């Protein structure tokens, strides 16, 4: 049974976007031969299958396509895990269904003749798979829609580029890699040029896919860059975030170099994912500009729920290596006007009034992050939480409550959170708690290079 959804026949917005009819026309002329049916997994990676374009139109578009349900219960290594309610060896590791969302159709500008369509994950009887990241965000957007509100957002992603190919980096054990820049190139135009033609190919590939690029800039770590995309409706933003990471990796592969979105690659600055978000009414008018009390409550909710929801912003062991003082990654649960030492930074005037949540690294799942921000904001609004004074100086040393500094601490706060269970449901909380427990167990069983170097002859 197919879930209710748009037929995708509305006009596509922007070069690179496709309606179903436009896809049919381009398939008929041979311009498009393949459609990727993709969905985000727990790690925020684009998973799925490549379909012949004719098969996609004739069979998959209306009926969906099956995929093994273990795809939402594996670790980073794609190994099936136990302890998940939705999938297990005991249940036979059967299929769920990937139902195309036609409104997400677009060409992929960096692959010739290929289009992509995002899918929503459902059980064969049409019920949504609750722990699916796209479904988690959809539920929070529905909560906004019940009030006549929408969320607009943008994610700022940083990544580090090395001249070594992915295969060469693997063979080196990811040691002694050559970054595309040898010094801090933050805002350096020459520094961005050093990474060309990669940066240019990424920007042009995204633009050809209907993903509007606003800026590209160098960052502080060696070989580090940031590309910013146009502010958009929250679900589209999450989809584009996933496609952006996919594009960077595929274009890097094509270019014989490599790129990483690890939250913390080395002792220098980590890769962040700052999230800008605002609410609007059904007419598109900013709620934050016209209702200061509501804006304050939304920010207060971020602060009140930050410890409980940190797991959704920092899902991996490595995520917590970012949280160091004076690193531009937040350690203090505080807010301020244009203050980069705070976890929440308030920016803009009038219609551009928004908040920037600076907690997440580039390893985030964007659907979970946006869902967490919305849920925390609604918690603040529904409970009329009072906003503490803005931090006007250095939040790192101002004595504020701290974010969890380990995955274990964040997991404990998340699983015990009545707010998270009320907003997302027990199934979702238990599912992502289990994923974190597996990540912790995998790490605890591994002997690191640091341990061997430190202890081989000295302990």
């Amino acid at each position: 049974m197919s879930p209710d959804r748009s037929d995708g026949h509305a006009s596509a917005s922007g070069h690179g976007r496709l309606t179903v009819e436009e896809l049919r026309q381009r398939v008929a002329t041979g311009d498009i031969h393949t459609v990727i049916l993709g969905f985000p997994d727990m790690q925020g990676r684009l998973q799925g299958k490549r379909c012949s374009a004719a098969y996609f139109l004739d069979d998959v578009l209306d009926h969906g396509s099956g995929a093994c349900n273990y795809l939402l219960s594996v670790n980073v290594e794609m190994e099936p895990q136990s302890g998940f309610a939705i999938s297990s060896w005991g249940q036979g590791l059967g299929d769920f269904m990937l139902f195309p969302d036609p409104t997400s159709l677009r060409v992929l500008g960096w692959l010739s003749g290929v289009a992509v369509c995002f899918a929503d994950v459902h059980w064969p009887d049409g019920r949504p798979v609750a722990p699916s990241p796209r479904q988690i965000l959809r539920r929070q957007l529905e909560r906004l829609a019940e009030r006549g509100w929408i969320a607009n957002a943008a994610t700022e992603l940083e990544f580090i580029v090395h001249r070594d190919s992915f295969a060469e980096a693997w063979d080196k054990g990811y040691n002694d890699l050559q970054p595309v820049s040898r010094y801090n190139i933050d805002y350096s135009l020459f520094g961005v040029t050093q990474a060309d033609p990669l940066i240019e190919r990424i920007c042009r590939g995204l633009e050809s896919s209907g993903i509007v690029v606003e800026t590209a800039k160098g960052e502080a770590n060696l070989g580090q860059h940031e590309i910013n995309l146009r502010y958009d409706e929250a679900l589209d933003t999450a989809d584009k975030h996933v496609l952006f990471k996919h594009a960077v990796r595929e274009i890097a592969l094509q270019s014989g170099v490599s790129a990483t979105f690890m939250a913390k690659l080395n002792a220098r600055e980590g890769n962040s994912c700052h999230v800008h978000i605002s609410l609007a009414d059904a007419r598109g008018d900013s709620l934050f500009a016209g209702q200061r009390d509501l804006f304050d409550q939304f920010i207060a909710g971020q602060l009140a729920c930050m410890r409980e929801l940190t797991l959704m912003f920092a899902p991996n062991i490595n995520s917590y290596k970012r949280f160091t003082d004076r690193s531009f990654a937040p350690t203090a649960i505080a807010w301020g006007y244009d203050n980069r030492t705070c976890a929440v930074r308030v920016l803009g005037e009038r219609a551009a009034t928004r908040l920037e949540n600076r907690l997440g690294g580039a390893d985030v799942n964007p659907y979970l992050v946006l869902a967490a921000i919305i849920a925390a904001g609604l918690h603040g609004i529904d409970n009329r939480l009072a906003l503490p004074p803005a931090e006007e100086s250095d939040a790192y040393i101002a004595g504020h409550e701290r974010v969890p500094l380990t995955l274990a601490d964040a997991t404990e706060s998340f699983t015990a959170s009545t707010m998270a269970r009320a907003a997302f449901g027990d199934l979702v909380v238990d599912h992502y708690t289990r994923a974190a427990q597996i990540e912790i167990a995998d790490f605890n069983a591994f002997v690191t290079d640091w341990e061997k170097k430190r202890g081989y002859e000295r302990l």
Side-chain angles (χ1 to χ4, degrees), residues 313-339:
F313 293 83
N316 303 302
I317 290 285
N318 180 256
S319 307
Y320 295 81
K321 304 294 178 70
R322 277 183 65 244
F323 298 145
T324 58
D325 286 349
R326 307 286 176 85
S327 66
F328 288 97
T331 59
I333 300 176
W335 78 279
Y337 293 103
D338 197 14
N339 187 338

Side-chain angles (χ1 to χ4, degrees), residues 6 49 64 69 91 104 157 166 169 185 212 275 308 311 321 342 394 398:
S6 166
K49 52 182 76 173
N69 60 36
Q91 294 170 306
S104 70
L157 273 169
F166 281 112
I185 59 165
V212 179
V275 181
E308 297 172 52
L311 179 62
K321 304 294 178 70
C342 298
D394 185 351

